[in-house]
Amino acid sequence: MPESDSPVDTTATTVAEIMSTPVVTTGPDATIATAAEQMRHRKVGSVVIVDDGRPIGILTERDLVRIAAAGADASSDPVGEWMTPDPDWVARGASVSDAFMSLAEHGYRHIPVVDDKQLVGIVSMRDLMRIAQIQPAENLAHEIPKGLEGVVVAETVIGDVRGLEGFSHYRQYSAVDLAERRTLEDVWYLMFDRELPTLAERDAFIDEIRPLREIPGDVADALPTLARLGGDAPPLDMLRTTYSLFATSLAFAPSLDVPAAELRQQALRTCAVIPTLLMALYRLRNGREPVAPHPDLSYAANYLYMLTGETPPPEHARAVEQYLISTIDHGFNSSTFTARVITSTGADLGSAIVGAIGALSGPLHGGAPGRALDMLDSIGTLDNAEPWLRDAVARGDRLMGFGHRVYKTDDPRSTMLRGVAERLGGDKVELAKAIEAKAIEVLTELKPGRKLYTNVEFYAGIVMDTCGVPREMFTPTFASSRAIGWCAHVLEQAADNRLIRPSAQYVGPPPPQPVPDPA
Ligand code: CMC
């Protein structure tokens, strides 16, 4: 391998001079788990599958992500079923620039090197770039799975989701256990301050956030006008606009310039005021005066109180609280990622939350619970379930409240909320359970292998509906709890920041084309 500080002549250098050898290989009958362990142990990104010394396939780290996402059994599935068969290869005498072109054109990251059909080495895109300094990293962009599925973009100590197991956690605790055993204020404290509070810390925290629920006077004055804007604009859009006004009114400075303690204070104010803004806008929209926050009620009870002006039954407050806790955070979901990207630019916390609200508003993310309940209403009776669901899936529609990017088994939040819905009772629960079972049957039959199960949104709608939350407020309620997760991520990103700035693969007509004169 040539050793030089300056780029090598890529046309004169052969791959034989830079290839890695010996190659990590296995046979087609080895299990995925064995191949993954070989990669981990030898610190390489691929294993070449050989038969009598000839490369007959290749398995890469990217394949492992795909395999995990598909829910394959790594301990028994053979590599031969998942490898890319008949991989392209380069001859050992090929030039480095030819090898690079082959990798870049086909979107490979690794390419076997062959001599007289026998595997003699392997070259990776990373090796070529490092050694020859030939192309910028943008040429790797097309290696990334669409939708960034499975791509790790940051380290976090806030929490994670294990999709194959059906498990999610905040810090070191199961999210569902927290929802079963703790208050929302406790979990909020955990998300911001890394530990569950003692009883004294809980009281001090509640005292700290109580006054922060109030809407600042200037913003409160503007609410009636804001509530009139936009006709039937969804309440989440109203929140996006109004929260932006709130952040501006408090002059949130760029996070890059704000000390950590001040940023935490902004985050607390944000999470405390969002329920008040939401309910004030909702009531004004419906011709009623806003209800001021009740200083003695918990977050969840106060949420319902500001909706109706009446102290809610404790079982309703607790059910909503459990829903809220279970949706505070969920790995690098789209809105959380959005908040972190915006924070990474050094922008203010208000901008990060406005962006996150926008990302959450989409039906593929936070916009589903109202639609899930619409679906139940539209199905109406159990007899109608099967034909309705079949028609919908056959048409290419998505069943709202089913499927998840990460979960390939039951979403633990949906299992918990099914229990909450059963505890609350009500006329919709039994029908919902029967429709859920039918939907899984239909999805399993019509979308085989996709592993589509019930997600958090399906029973969220039932729980909130039973507790008196209007359908149009389902997604805003989700935003209210998720704001705590967003803010925890903003604080974490700001504390150890690097600009998030990925690349894209240009796939348009080859530039530069001559610029035509106007015709
Ligand atoms: N109903 C019917 N088919 C579905 C569904 C569904 N709910 N979800 C996925 N599929 C199919 C999809 O049509 C595709 O089929 P094919 O291979 O034939 O093209 C296949 O499954 C894979 O779909 P995908 O879009 O690549 O999967 P994804 O990981 O990008 O999508 C999802 C995840 C949540 C966007 C999707 O499952 C979905 O649209 N669900 C309905 C909306 C919903 O309930 N959203 C709330 C998500 S949970 C709350 C949150 O985390 O924000």
Side-chain angles (χ1 to χ4, degrees):
M1 183 183 297
E3 284 187 9
S4 162
D5 286 342
S6 53
V8 297
D9 179 346
T10 57
T11 50
T13 308
T14 64
V15 286
E17 294 172 73
I18 66 157
M19 68 188 183
S20 300
T21 183
V23 188
V24 180
T25 60
T26 192
D29 297 331
T31 64
I32 303 286
T34 311
E37 178 53 25
Q38 282 179 285
M39 284 190 218
R40 195 191 63 77
H41 181 66
R42 300 280 298 273
K43 297 190 171 58
V44 293
S46 65
V47 173
V48 180
I49 293 73
V50 288
D51 180 17
D52 205 14
R54 287 179 304 110
I56 59 165
I58 189 163
L59 191 82
T60 66
E61 283 168 324
R62 191 171 45 169
D63 295 322
L64 293 181
V65 172
R66 190 167 54 88
I67 291 165
D73 184 352
S75 63
S76 63
D77 279 13
V79 164
E81 275 182 22
W82 291 92
M83 67 185 188
T84 303
D86 303 323
D88 278 1
W89 48 267
V90 284
R92 60 178 300 147
S95 69
V96 162
S97 66
D98 285 349
F100 174 80
M101 289 312 292
S102 194
L103 282 162
E105 269 170 27
H106 295 98
Y108 304 138
R109 194 172 284 188
H110 307 90
I111 193 162
V113 183
V114 166
D115 188 13
D116 194 19
K117 298 191 177 161
Q118 294 291 300
L119 179 70
V120 292
I122 190 157
V123 280
S124 72
M125 178 61 104
R126 196 173 294 275
D127 289 342
L128 290 174
M129 284 170 44
R130 192 168 45 233
I131 291 159
Q133 298 174 22
I134 30 188
Q135 289 286 329
E138 278 80 352
N139 287 294
L140 285 178
H142 58 296
E143 296 281 324
I144 303 298
K146 200 167 181 188
L148 297 185
E149 179 169 359
V151 176
V152 172
V153 293
E155 290 187 343
T156 180
V157 294
I158 292 172
D160 196 14
V161 184
R162 295 195 210 142
L164 293 180
E165 279 171 54
F167 175 74
S168 73
H169 60 105
Y170 304 159
R171 308 287 182 188
Q172 65 271 44
Y173 304 108
S174 146
V176 167
D177 287 354
L178 288 166
E180 300 281 15
R181 300 171 60 90
R182 289 295 196 137
T183 65
L184 182 129
E185 283 80 356
D186 284 357
V187 183
W188 181 355
Y189 186 98
L190 172 73
M191 300 306 276
F192 274 37
D193 294 336
R194 295 187 172 212
E195 301 291 342
L196 280 168
T198 61
L199 289 176
E201 285 167 339
R202 175 197 285 176
D203 289 344
F205 186 63
I206 289 171
D207 286 344
E208 187 180 7
I209 54 185
R210 187 180 291 115
L212 307 183
R213 292 169 169 178
E214 303 288 340
I215 302 173
D218 290 351
V219 180
D221 291 347
L223 286 184
T225 311
L226 288 166
R228 275 199 304 277
L229 295 174
D232 288 333
L236 199 62
D237 294 5
M238 305 289 303
L239 173 72
R240 191 190 61 215
T241 303
T242 312
Y243 171 76
S244 181
L245 184 71
F246 165 85
T248 306
S249 80
L250 295 181
F252 285 1
S255 59
L256 204 62
D257 304 331
V258 173
E262 189 182 328
L263 200 61
R264 178 182 180 278
Q265 193 60 20
Q266 292 177 3
L268 279 179
R269 278 201 89 147
T270 292
C271 301
V273 84
I274 281 179
T276 321
L277 290 176
L278 277 172
M279 289 310 177
L281 288 165
Y282 176 77
R283 287 182 64 92
L284 285 165
R285 244 336 191 6
N286 289 281
R288 285 180 285 165
E289 281 301 303
V291 173
H294 193 307
D296 299 330
L297 291 182
S298 69
Y299 181 113
N302 179 54
Y303 192 79
L304 295 175
Y305 169 78
M306 290 190 299
L307 176 67
T308 61
E310 287 170 21
T311 305
E315 60 274 18
H316 284 183
R318 180 61 185 148
V320 168
E321 181 168 57
Q322 287 184 279
Y323 165 71
L324 291 167
I325 294 173
S326 70
T327 48
I328 281 179
D329 188 47
H330 209 232
F332 260 55
N333 60 87
S334 309
S335 56
T336 298
F337 184 46
T338 303
R340 288 193 73 130
V341 169
I342 294 174
T343 304
S344 85
T345 70
D348 69 291
L349 182 135
S351 297
I353 302 306
V354 169
I357 293 171
L360 187 80
S361 68
L364 300 188
H365 187 4
R371 291 173 185 238
L373 207 54
D374 291 345
M375 181 178 86
L376 291 185
D377 286 351
S378 169
I379 293 174
T381 62
L382 186 53
D383 287 347
N384 193 29
E386 179 148 3
W388 194 102
L389 294 163
R390 277 184 180 282
D391 283 357
V393 177
R395 265 199 315 273
D397 289 356
R398 282 162 188 250
L399 303 183
M400 290 292 150
F402 294 88
H404 199 277
R405 171 59 64 81
V406 183
Y407 288 123
K408 300 303 166 198
T409 181
D410 284 326
D411 179 338
R413 304 167 300 173
S414 95
T415 313
M416 185 201 75
L417 288 175
R418 187 195 300 130
V420 173
E422 284 173 333
R423 195 178 74 216
L424 287 169
D427 53 357
K428 292 206 172 74
V429 183
E430 290 310 314
L431 180 65
K433 281 164 55 186
I435 289 176
E436 178 193 18
K438 198 52 80 186
I440 301 292
E441 258 176 57
V442 168
L443 287 169
T444 308
E445 187 192 322
L446 300 184
K447 293 278 174 183
R450 273 51 152 228
K451 297 192 181 299
L452 302 169
Y453 297 93
T454 324
N455 66 45
V456 66
E457 307 288 27
F458 188 72
Y459 284 102
I462 305 280
V463 168
M464 285 191 271
D465 185 61
T466 311
C467 295
V469 178
R471 204 167 295 202
E472 64 197 284
M473 294 301 280
F474 289 178
T475 302
T477 306
F478 185 2
S480 191
S481 59
R482 187 52 63 85
I484 297 173
W486 294 331
C487 284
H489 279 274
V490 167
L491 297 178
E492 185 178 66
Q493 181 71 38
D496 181 19
N497 188 44
R498 184 162 192 242
L499 178 71
I500 299 175
R501 200 294 189 195
S503 300
Q505 175 76 9
Y506 174 75
V507 293
Q513 306 276 344
V515 178
D517 291 329

